[in-house]
PDB file of all heavy atoms in Angstrom:
ATOM      1  N   LYS A 286     177.178 120.595  82.340  1.00  0.00           N
ATOM      2  CA  LYS A 286     177.905 120.093  83.391  1.00  0.00           C
ATOM      3  C   LYS A 286     177.031 119.976  84.632  1.00  0.00           C
ATOM      4  O   LYS A 286     176.403 120.971  85.106  1.00  0.00           O
ATOM      5  CB  LYS A 286     179.279 120.849  83.668  1.00  0.00           C
ATOM      6  CG  LYS A 286     180.076 120.245  84.735  1.00  0.00           C
ATOM      7  CD  LYS A 286     181.441 120.894  84.860  1.00  0.00           C
ATOM      8  CE  LYS A 286     182.209 120.276  86.016  1.00  0.00           C
ATOM      9  NZ  LYS A 286     183.491 120.746  86.049  1.00  0.00           N
ATOM     10  N   LYS A 287     177.248 118.937  85.380  1.00  0.00           N
ATOM     11  CA  LYS A 287     176.527 118.711  86.742  1.00  0.00           C
ATOM     12  C   LYS A 287     177.414 119.032  87.700  1.00  0.00           C
ATOM     13  O   LYS A 287     178.567 118.631  87.783  1.00  0.00           O
ATOM     14  CB  LYS A 287     176.078 117.335  86.863  1.00  0.00           C
ATOM     15  CG  LYS A 287     174.844 116.826  85.907  1.00  0.00           C
ATOM     16  CD  LYS A 287     173.512 117.202  86.513  1.00  0.00           C
ATOM     17  CE  LYS A 287     172.397 116.636  85.622  1.00  0.00           C
ATOM     18  NZ  LYS A 287     171.130 116.999  86.194  1.00  0.00           N
ATOM     19  N   ILE A 288     176.893 119.736  88.801  1.00  0.00           N
ATOM     20  CA  ILE A 288     177.740 119.931  90.036  1.00  0.00           C
ATOM     21  C   ILE A 288     176.933 119.499  91.228  1.00  0.00           C
ATOM     22  O   ILE A 288     175.746 119.589  91.298  1.00  0.00           O
ATOM     23  CB  ILE A 288     178.153 121.493  90.210  1.00  0.00           C
ATOM     24  CG1 ILE A 288     176.878 122.311  90.384  1.00  0.00           C
ATOM     25  CG2 ILE A 288     178.991 121.904  89.093  1.00  0.00           C
ATOM     26  CD1 ILE A 288     177.150 123.692  90.755  1.00  0.00           C
ATOM     27  N   GLN A 289     177.714 119.079  92.297  1.00  0.00           N
ATOM     28  CA  GLN A 289     177.141 118.629  93.537  1.00  0.00           C
ATOM     29  C   GLN A 289     177.258 119.697  94.680  1.00  0.00           C
ATOM     30  O   GLN A 289     178.266 120.388  94.725  1.00  0.00           O
ATOM     31  CB  GLN A 289     177.794 117.379  93.968  1.00  0.00           C
ATOM     32  CG  GLN A 289     177.356 116.829  95.227  1.00  0.00           C
ATOM     33  CD  GLN A 289     178.016 115.520  95.721  1.00  0.00           C
ATOM     34  OE1 GLN A 289     177.990 114.494  95.022  1.00  0.00           O
ATOM     35  NE2 GLN A 289     178.749 115.613  96.815  1.00  0.00           N
ATOM     36  N   VAL A 290     176.281 119.993  95.337  1.00  0.00           N
ATOM     37  CA  VAL A 290     176.118 120.980  96.325  1.00  0.00           C
ATOM     38  C   VAL A 290     175.479 120.421  97.591  1.00  0.00           C
ATOM     39  O   VAL A 290     174.654 119.489  97.554  1.00  0.00           O
ATOM     40  CB  VAL A 290     175.379 122.372  95.918  1.00  0.00           C
ATOM     41  CG1 VAL A 290     176.116 123.005  94.820  1.00  0.00           C
ATOM     42  CG2 VAL A 290     173.916 121.955  95.565  1.00  0.00           C
ATOM     43  N   PRO A 291     175.883 120.910  98.684  1.00  0.00           N
ATOM     44  CA  PRO A 291     175.193 120.415 100.032  1.00  0.00           C
ATOM     45  C   PRO A 291     173.783 120.635 100.065  1.00  0.00           C
ATOM     46  O   PRO A 291     173.257 121.506  99.525  1.00  0.00           O
ATOM     47  CB  PRO A 291     175.991 121.128 101.121  1.00  0.00           C
ATOM     48  CG  PRO A 291     177.172 121.745 100.472  1.00  0.00           C
ATOM     49  CD  PRO A 291     176.848 121.993  99.005  1.00  0.00           C
ATOM     50  N   PHE A 292     173.054 119.859 100.672  1.00  0.00           N
ATOM     51  CA  PHE A 292     171.635 119.915 100.936  1.00  0.00           C
ATOM     52  C   PHE A 292     171.385 119.796 102.532  1.00  0.00           C
ATOM     53  O   PHE A 292     171.040 118.837 103.012  1.00  0.00           O
ATOM     54  CB  PHE A 292     170.794 119.062 100.369  1.00  0.00           C
ATOM     55  CG  PHE A 292     169.343 119.118 100.271  1.00  0.00           C
ATOM     56  CD1 PHE A 292     168.864 120.039  99.440  1.00  0.00           C
ATOM     57  CD2 PHE A 292     168.524 118.546 101.111  1.00  0.00           C
ATOM     58  CE1 PHE A 292     167.369 120.278  99.303  1.00  0.00           C
ATOM     59  CE2 PHE A 292     167.108 118.703 101.070  1.00  0.00           C
ATOM     60  CZ  PHE A 292     166.598 119.533 100.203  1.00  0.00           C
ATOM     61  N   GLU A 293     171.820 120.827 103.270  1.00  0.00           N
ATOM     62  CA  GLU A 293     171.899 120.753 104.747  1.00  0.00           C
ATOM     63  C   GLU A 293     170.965 121.877 105.254  1.00  0.00           C
ATOM     64  O   GLU A 293     171.442 122.908 105.569  1.00  0.00           O
ATOM     65  CB  GLU A 293     173.374 121.019 105.269  1.00  0.00           C
ATOM     66  CG  GLU A 293     174.298 119.917 104.861  1.00  0.00           C
ATOM     67  CD  GLU A 293     174.081 118.535 105.637  1.00  0.00           C
ATOM     68  OE1 GLU A 293     173.222 118.545 106.452  1.00  0.00           O
ATOM     69  OE2 GLU A 293     174.651 117.552 105.105  1.00  0.00           O
ATOM     70  N   GLN A 294     169.725 121.542 105.490  1.00  0.00           N
ATOM     71  CA  GLN A 294     168.692 122.529 106.100  1.00  0.00           C
ATOM     72  C   GLN A 294     167.643 121.755 106.667  1.00  0.00           C
ATOM     73  O   GLN A 294     167.560 120.480 106.466  1.00  0.00           O
ATOM     74  CB  GLN A 294     168.209 123.511 105.113  1.00  0.00           C
ATOM     75  CG  GLN A 294     167.413 122.918 103.891  1.00  0.00           C
ATOM     76  CD  GLN A 294     168.287 122.332 102.894  1.00  0.00           C
ATOM     77  OE1 GLN A 294     168.476 121.137 102.753  1.00  0.00           O
ATOM     78  NE2 GLN A 294     168.726 123.200 101.850  1.00  0.00           N
ATOM     79  N   LEU A 295     166.821 122.339 107.553  1.00  0.00           N
ATOM     80  CA  LEU A 295     165.677 121.789 108.176  1.00  0.00           C
ATOM     81  C   LEU A 295     164.554 121.923 106.815  1.00  0.00           C
ATOM     82  O   LEU A 295     164.162 123.070 106.657  1.00  0.00           O
ATOM     83  CB  LEU A 295     165.160 122.499 109.371  1.00  0.00           C
ATOM     84  CG  LEU A 295     163.836 122.101 109.980  1.00  0.00           C
ATOM     85  CD1 LEU A 295     163.816 120.582 110.263  1.00  0.00           C
ATOM     86  CD2 LEU A 295     163.497 122.829 111.155  1.00  0.00           C
ATOM     87  N   LEU A 296     164.170 120.801 106.435  1.00  0.00           N
ATOM     88  CA  LEU A 296     163.173 120.940 105.269  1.00  0.00           C
ATOM     89  C   LEU A 296     161.820 120.630 105.754  1.00  0.00           C
ATOM     90  O   LEU A 296     161.592 119.616 106.423  1.00  0.00           O
ATOM     91  CB  LEU A 296     163.651 119.821 104.227  1.00  0.00           C
ATOM     92  CG  LEU A 296     162.634 119.669 102.962  1.00  0.00           C
ATOM     93  CD1 LEU A 296     162.527 120.993 102.266  1.00  0.00           C
ATOM     94  CD2 LEU A 296     163.187 118.570 102.043  1.00  0.00           C
ATOM     95  N   ILE A 297     160.833 121.498 105.631  1.00  0.00           N
ATOM     96  CA  ILE A 297     159.467 121.321 106.104  1.00  0.00           C
ATOM     97  C   ILE A 297     158.615 121.427 105.011  1.00  0.00           C
ATOM     98  O   ILE A 297     158.606 122.436 104.145  1.00  0.00           O
ATOM     99  CB  ILE A 297     159.109 122.427 107.090  1.00  0.00           C
ATOM    100  CG1 ILE A 297     160.177 122.368 108.249  1.00  0.00           C
ATOM    101  CG2 ILE A 297     157.768 122.315 107.607  1.00  0.00           C
ATOM    102  CD1 ILE A 297     159.931 123.445 109.299  1.00  0.00           C
ATOM    103  N   PHE A 298     157.676 120.371 104.848  1.00  0.00           N
ATOM    104  CA  PHE A 298     156.516 120.401 103.892  1.00  0.00           C
ATOM    105  C   PHE A 298     155.328 120.672 104.702  1.00  0.00           C
ATOM    106  O   PHE A 298     155.031 120.054 105.601  1.00  0.00           O
ATOM    107  CB  PHE A 298     156.410 119.082 103.145  1.00  0.00           C
ATOM    108  CG  PHE A 298     157.629 118.701 102.337  1.00  0.00           C
ATOM    109  CD1 PHE A 298     158.702 117.812 102.853  1.00  0.00           C
ATOM    110  CD2 PHE A 298     157.794 119.036 100.927  1.00  0.00           C
ATOM    111  CE1 PHE A 298     159.659 117.445 102.192  1.00  0.00           C
ATOM    112  CE2 PHE A 298     158.959 118.673 100.216  1.00  0.00           C
ATOM    113  CZ  PHE A 298     159.851 117.914 100.805  1.00  0.00           C
ATOM    114  N   ALA A 299     154.542 121.671 104.136  1.00  0.00           N
ATOM    115  CA  ALA A 299     153.155 122.019 104.826  1.00  0.00           C
ATOM    116  C   ALA A 299     152.137 121.713 103.631  1.00  0.00           C
ATOM    117  O   ALA A 299     152.161 122.390 102.644  1.00  0.00           O
ATOM    118  CB  ALA A 299     153.228 123.404 105.336  1.00  0.00           C
ATOM    119  N   SER A 300     151.147 120.936 103.987  1.00  0.00           N
ATOM    120  CA  SER A 300     150.177 120.704 102.851  1.00  0.00           C
ATOM    121  C   SER A 300     148.800 120.541 103.461  1.00  0.00           C
ATOM    122  O   SER A 300     148.642 120.026 104.694  1.00  0.00           O
ATOM    123  CB  SER A 300     150.560 119.422 102.201  1.00  0.00           C
ATOM    124  OG  SER A 300     149.509 119.045 101.294  1.00  0.00           O
ATOM    125  N   ASN A 301     147.735 120.930 102.753  1.00  0.00           N
ATOM    126  CA  ASN A 301     146.444 120.720 103.105  1.00  0.00           C
ATOM    127  C   ASN A 301     145.937 119.336 102.864  1.00  0.00           C
ATOM    128  O   ASN A 301     145.013 118.812 103.345  1.00  0.00           O
ATOM    129  CB  ASN A 301     145.352 121.649 102.433  1.00  0.00           C
ATOM    130  CG  ASN A 301     145.616 123.036 102.878  1.00  0.00           C
ATOM    131  OD1 ASN A 301     146.211 123.358 103.845  1.00  0.00           O
ATOM    132  ND2 ASN A 301     145.320 124.017 101.914  1.00  0.00           N
ATOM    133  N   LEU A 302     146.688 118.580 102.060  1.00  0.00           N
ATOM    134  CA  LEU A 302     146.443 117.250 101.810  1.00  0.00           C
ATOM    135  C   LEU A 302     147.032 116.206 102.710  1.00  0.00           C
ATOM    136  O   LEU A 302     148.221 116.487 103.278  1.00  0.00           O
ATOM    137  CB  LEU A 302     146.920 116.850 100.345  1.00  0.00           C
ATOM    138  CG  LEU A 302     146.462 117.834  99.247  1.00  0.00           C
ATOM    139  CD1 LEU A 302     147.213 117.486  98.009  1.00  0.00           C
ATOM    140  CD2 LEU A 302     144.984 117.920  99.137  1.00  0.00           C
ATOM    141  N   ASP A 303     146.445 115.050 102.880  1.00  0.00           N
ATOM    142  CA  ASP A 303     146.811 114.093 103.775  1.00  0.00           C
ATOM    143  C   ASP A 303     148.258 113.402 103.054  1.00  0.00           C
ATOM    144  O   ASP A 303     148.156 113.125 101.919  1.00  0.00           O
ATOM    145  CB  ASP A 303     145.916 112.993 104.176  1.00  0.00           C
ATOM    146  CG  ASP A 303     146.394 112.052 105.218  1.00  0.00           C
ATOM    147  OD1 ASP A 303     147.062 110.950 104.911  1.00  0.00           O
ATOM    148  OD2 ASP A 303     146.227 112.377 106.423  1.00  0.00           O
ATOM    149  N   SER A 304     149.241 113.009 103.804  1.00  0.00           N
ATOM    150  CA  SER A 304     150.368 112.454 103.104  1.00  0.00           C
ATOM    151  C   SER A 304     149.938 111.185 102.462  1.00  0.00           C
ATOM    152  O   SER A 304     150.600 110.734 101.366  1.00  0.00           O
ATOM    153  CB  SER A 304     151.409 112.170 104.155  1.00  0.00           C
ATOM    154  OG  SER A 304     150.974 111.285 105.281  1.00  0.00           O
ATOM    155  N   ALA A 305     149.004 110.414 102.942  1.00  0.00           N
ATOM    156  CA  ALA A 305     148.588 109.169 102.327  1.00  0.00           C
ATOM    157  C   ALA A 305     148.007 109.392 100.987  1.00  0.00           C
ATOM    158  O   ALA A 305     147.926 108.610 100.159  1.00  0.00           O
ATOM    159  CB  ALA A 305     147.576 108.410 103.280  1.00  0.00           C
ATOM    160  N   ASP A 306     147.401 110.623 100.763  1.00  0.00           N
ATOM    161  CA  ASP A 306     146.838 110.982  99.379  1.00  0.00           C
ATOM    162  C   ASP A 306     147.854 111.041  98.292  1.00  0.00           C
ATOM    163  O   ASP A 306     147.424 110.816  97.088  1.00  0.00           O
ATOM    164  CB  ASP A 306     146.005 112.339  99.558  1.00  0.00           C
ATOM    165  CG  ASP A 306     144.981 112.318 100.505  1.00  0.00           C
ATOM    166  OD1 ASP A 306     144.386 111.135 100.745  1.00  0.00           O
ATOM    167  OD2 ASP A 306     144.530 113.358 101.055  1.00  0.00           O
ATOM    168  N   PHE A 307     149.208 111.126  98.515  1.00  0.00           N
ATOM    169  CA  PHE A 307     150.069 111.314  97.485  1.00  0.00           C
ATOM    170  C   PHE A 307     150.429 109.992  97.029  1.00  0.00           C
ATOM    171  O   PHE A 307     150.767 109.897  95.923  1.00  0.00           O
ATOM    172  CB  PHE A 307     151.386 112.020  98.116  1.00  0.00           C
ATOM    173  CG  PHE A 307     151.163 113.435  98.414  1.00  0.00           C
ATOM    174  CD1 PHE A 307     151.320 113.818  99.841  1.00  0.00           C
ATOM    175  CD2 PHE A 307     150.753 114.375  97.630  1.00  0.00           C
ATOM    176  CE1 PHE A 307     151.114 115.097 100.256  1.00  0.00           C
ATOM    177  CE2 PHE A 307     150.530 115.690  97.915  1.00  0.00           C
ATOM    178  CZ  PHE A 307     150.778 116.104  99.209  1.00  0.00           C
ATOM    179  N   GLY A 308     150.466 108.923  97.841  1.00  0.00           N
ATOM    180  CA  GLY A 308     150.547 107.640  97.334  1.00  0.00           C
ATOM    181  C   GLY A 308     152.011 107.313  96.763  1.00  0.00           C
ATOM    182  O   GLY A 308     152.105 106.475  95.933  1.00  0.00           O
ATOM    183  N   GLU A 309     152.927 108.059  97.175  1.00  0.00           N
ATOM    184  CA  GLU A 309     154.372 107.813  96.814  1.00  0.00           C
ATOM    185  C   GLU A 309     155.158 107.247  97.977  1.00  0.00           C
ATOM    186  O   GLU A 309     155.847 108.051  98.710  1.00  0.00           O
ATOM    187  CB  GLU A 309     154.887 109.086  96.236  1.00  0.00           C
ATOM    188  CG  GLU A 309     154.252 109.593  94.878  1.00  0.00           C
ATOM    189  CD  GLU A 309     154.985 108.612  93.769  1.00  0.00           C
ATOM    190  OE1 GLU A 309     156.040 108.034  93.897  1.00  0.00           O
ATOM    191  OE2 GLU A 309     154.386 108.545  92.702  1.00  0.00           O
ATOM    192  N   GLU A 310     155.184 105.937  98.133  1.00  0.00           N
ATOM    193  CA  GLU A 310     155.959 105.443  99.225  1.00  0.00           C
ATOM    194  C   GLU A 310     157.455 105.688  99.221  1.00  0.00           C
ATOM    195  O   GLU A 310     158.094 105.852 100.236  1.00  0.00           O
ATOM    196  CB  GLU A 310     155.699 103.905  99.302  1.00  0.00           C
ATOM    197  CG  GLU A 310     156.278 103.197 100.459  1.00  0.00           C
ATOM    198  CD  GLU A 310     155.734 103.709 101.835  1.00  0.00           C
ATOM    199  OE1 GLU A 310     154.591 104.154 101.829  1.00  0.00           O
ATOM    200  OE2 GLU A 310     156.472 103.692 102.854  1.00  0.00           O
ATOM    201  N   ALA A 311     158.066 105.660  97.975  1.00  0.00           N
ATOM    202  CA  ALA A 311     159.419 106.017  97.957  1.00  0.00           C
ATOM    203  C   ALA A 311     159.851 107.364  98.549  1.00  0.00           C
ATOM    204  O   ALA A 311     160.746 107.525  99.071  1.00  0.00           O
ATOM    205  CB  ALA A 311     159.817 105.813  96.550  1.00  0.00           C
ATOM    206  N   PHE A 312     158.850 108.341  98.363  1.00  0.00           N
ATOM    207  CA  PHE A 312     159.043 109.684  98.819  1.00  0.00           C
ATOM    208  C   PHE A 312     158.712 109.717 100.242  1.00  0.00           C
ATOM    209  O   PHE A 312     159.445 110.226 101.147  1.00  0.00           O
ATOM    210  CB  PHE A 312     158.165 110.667  98.108  1.00  0.00           C
ATOM    211  CG  PHE A 312     158.118 112.068  98.659  1.00  0.00           C
ATOM    212  CD1 PHE A 312     159.158 112.840  98.512  1.00  0.00           C
ATOM    213  CD2 PHE A 312     157.036 112.429  99.411  1.00  0.00           C
ATOM    214  CE1 PHE A 312     159.199 114.155  99.083  1.00  0.00           C
ATOM    215  CE2 PHE A 312     156.895 113.739  99.958  1.00  0.00           C
ATOM    216  CZ  PHE A 312     158.061 114.606  99.863  1.00  0.00           C
ATOM    217  N   LEU A 313     157.634 109.124 100.794  1.00  0.00           N
ATOM    218  CA  LEU A 313     157.188 109.217 102.099  1.00  0.00           C
ATOM    219  C   LEU A 313     158.083 108.601 103.094  1.00  0.00           C
ATOM    220  O   LEU A 313     158.251 108.986 104.087  1.00  0.00           O
ATOM    221  CB  LEU A 313     155.749 108.702 102.263  1.00  0.00           C
ATOM    222  CG  LEU A 313     154.645 109.477 101.507  1.00  0.00           C
ATOM    223  CD1 LEU A 313     153.342 108.649 101.603  1.00  0.00           C
ATOM    224  CD2 LEU A 313     154.568 110.810 102.043  1.00  0.00           C
ATOM    225  N   ARG A 314     158.660 107.452 102.683  1.00  0.00           N
ATOM    226  CA  ARG A 314     159.559 106.731 103.572  1.00  0.00           C
ATOM    227  C   ARG A 314     160.942 107.456 103.835  1.00  0.00           C
ATOM    228  O   ARG A 314     161.649 107.222 104.805  1.00  0.00           O
ATOM    229  CB  ARG A 314     159.885 105.283 103.171  1.00  0.00           C
ATOM    230  CG  ARG A 314     160.755 105.238 101.973  1.00  0.00           C
ATOM    231  CD  ARG A 314     160.843 103.735 101.508  1.00  0.00           C
ATOM    232  NE  ARG A 314     161.812 103.552 100.303  1.00  0.00           N
ATOM    233  CZ  ARG A 314     163.068 103.570 100.380  1.00  0.00           C
ATOM    234  NH1 ARG A 314     163.782 103.737 101.499  1.00  0.00           N
ATOM    235  NH2 ARG A 314     163.865 103.475  99.340  1.00  0.00           N
TER     236      ARG A 314
END
């Protein structure tokens, strides 16, 4: 069974890689 829960936080990604290197526009936008 699937349940829905809130996702209410300040989400921070920290990476040594440049965001352009990931090449996932659906994610980056």
Side-chain angles (χ1 to χ4, degrees):
K286 179 173 181 174
K287 293 272 187 182
I288 63 172
Q289 178 179 299
V290 296
F292 191 81
E293 296 285 352
Q294 63 278 97
L295 174 59
L296 177 60
I297 303 176
F298 299 93
S300 176
N301 298 335
L302 307 176
D303 189 273
S304 58
D306 295 337
F307 295 118
E309 286 286 337
E310 184 59 31
F312 171 74
L313 295 176
R314 71 180 179 83

